Amino acid sequence: MSSERKIYLFKLKFNTPYGLRVGGNSQDINALIPLSIGEHYLIPSSTWKGIFRRATEVLLAKPSHFNEHKNEEVQYDSSMDELLKSKGIEKEEEKKKFIAMWNCPIERLYGSEYFASAVTFSDTLIKAGITERFHATIDRKTKKGMERYLFREQIVDVKSVNAKIIVRDRIEEWVKTLKFLSDVGTFIGGGKSRGIGYAMLDWKESEYAEVDKLTRKITFRPLEELKI
C-alpha cells in the first residue's frame, strides 16, 4: 500500500531548555503572561500549525508560493478533470491556480482556499511552574533602557513539550520537515530575541504509527524507524 493511502500518527517530543511563553490576555499592559486554561498552560493547535508550516516553507516553497501562486506555470493533467469539476472550477485562470496549489507541498499539507489541510494538530496542555523576569524596553537609537518602560514576563518553566499530530498525505515532505526541526530547531511563542521558546525536535524520543485500516491495532514505534 502506498503512503498516499496511509494515515500516520505522530507523538513528537520537543526539548525546550529555556522554557516558553505562548501569549495570553493580561489586565496589565506591562505584563507578558502565557496563555492558560484552568491550571494548565496551552500551546494551541494553531500555533503548532504555524510552526510547522514555516519550517516546510523554508525547505520547499517556491517564490510563487508567497505570491499565492499567481501566474505560475502549470501543466494540465487529464486526471485533474474530475477534481476540478467537483470543485466547480471552470475559468482557466482559476484552474491554473488550483493545479499550482495542488502541486505545492505546503498547500497540500496545511490547506488552501480550495482544500483542507492534510495535517491535524492537537492542543498541548502543560502543567508547570512559572519563572518571572523583569525587562526594560530598549530605545533602538540610543541602545539605552527607556524610562518608565519596565515590564515583567512570565515564562513557563518546562524542559520539554509534546505534540500529537495526524498526517494523511505528502508524508515525504512531512518527514523532511521533521528532519529540519530536529537539526535546526524552531521557536514556540514569544521572547525569541531573548532565546525563550527555543525548541528542538527530539528524534530519538519521538514516535510514529501507521494506520492503513480503521480496524487495525495502532502500534507506536520510534521515529528513527520510519522509512519512506
Side-chain angles (χ1 to χ4, degrees):
M1 181 171 287
S2 71
S3 62
E4 291 290 317
R5 290 182 290 173
K6 289 180 181 178
I7 295 175
Y8 289 81
L9 311 180
F10 291 86
K11 293 180 181 178
L12 303 179
K13 177 182 177 182
F14 284 84
N15 293 321
T16 54
Y18 310 113
L20 60 88
R21 176 183 53 79
V22 177
N25 295 324
S26 175
Q27 300 296 323
D28 184 352
I29 62 173
N30 295 317
L32 301 175
I33 67 170
L35 182 64
S36 63
I37 296 180
E39 296 181 352
H40 291 85
Y41 299 104
L42 178 69
I43 303 175
S45 59
S46 57
T47 296
W48 283 122
K49 186 173 184 179
I51 289 168
F52 278 85
R53 184 184 179 100
R54 285 193 297 273
T56 309
E57 286 175 339
V58 168
L59 287 172
L60 303 172
K62 297 179 180 179
S64 59
H65 167 74
F66 300 102
N67 192 33
E68 299 180 345
H69 299 276
K70 293 178 181 177
N71 303 317
E72 183 174 328
E73 292 295 327
V74 298
Q75 291 185 340
Y76 281 105
D77 184 341
S78 60
S79 64
M80 297 287 291
D81 289 345
E82 288 298 320
L83 185 56
L84 290 166
K85 185 177 180 181
S86 69
K87 297 289 184 178
I89 299 173
E90 299 179 351
K91 295 180 179 179
E92 289 301 309
E93 184 177 342
E94 193 173 7
K95 284 183 179 180
K96 289 182 178 180
K97 185 177 180 180
F98 177 90
I99 294 171
M101 287 188 167
W102 186 258
N103 292 332
C104 174
I106 295 95
E107 307 291 358
R108 286 285 290 279
L109 276 171
Y110 305 105
S112 76
E113 61 192 84
Y114 295 109
F115 42 83
S117 170
V119 186
T120 300
F121 299 86
S122 293
D123 295 336
T124 297
L125 297 177
I126 305 167
K127 193 165 186 179
I130 287 289
T131 296
E132 192 164 84
R133 300 177 182 173
F134 289 86
H135 303 278
T137 302
I138 302 298
D139 187 316
R140 296 188 183 276
K141 291 183 179 180
T142 65
K143 307 300 182 183
K144 296 180 180 180
M146 299 175 67
E147 293 185 14
R148 300 188 302 279
Y149 283 89
L150 181 69
F151 65 94
R152 60 187 177 88
E153 179 177 29
Q154 293 182 349
I155 302 164
V156 181
D157 188 14
V158 61
K159 299 304 180 185
S160 67
V161 293
N162 296 312
K164 294 182 179 180
I165 304 164
I166 303 171
V167 182
R168 304 174 187 83
D169 198 358
R170 309 295 287 213
I171 190 65
E172 293 86 357
E173 290 88 350
W174 174 257
V175 172
K176 289 179 182 178
T177 302
L178 296 184
K179 285 286 189 182
F180 176 84
L181 292 172
S182 69
D183 292 338
V184 179
T186 186
F187 280 90
I188 301 173
K192 299 177 180 65
S193 63
R194 297 181 294 282
I196 298 166
Y198 178 69
M200 181 168 283
L201 176 62
D202 191 327
W203 196 266
K204 292 185 177 180
E205 294 295 323
S206 296
E207 299 178 311
Y208 81 101
E210 295 181 20
V211 182
D212 55 22
K213 293 181 181 178
L214 292 178
T215 57
R216 180 178 176 179
K217 182 179 179 180
I218 297 173
T219 302
F220 279 91
R221 304 179 184 280
L223 187 58
E224 56 191 1
E225 293 183 9
L226 178 58
K227 306 297 182 183
I228 301 299

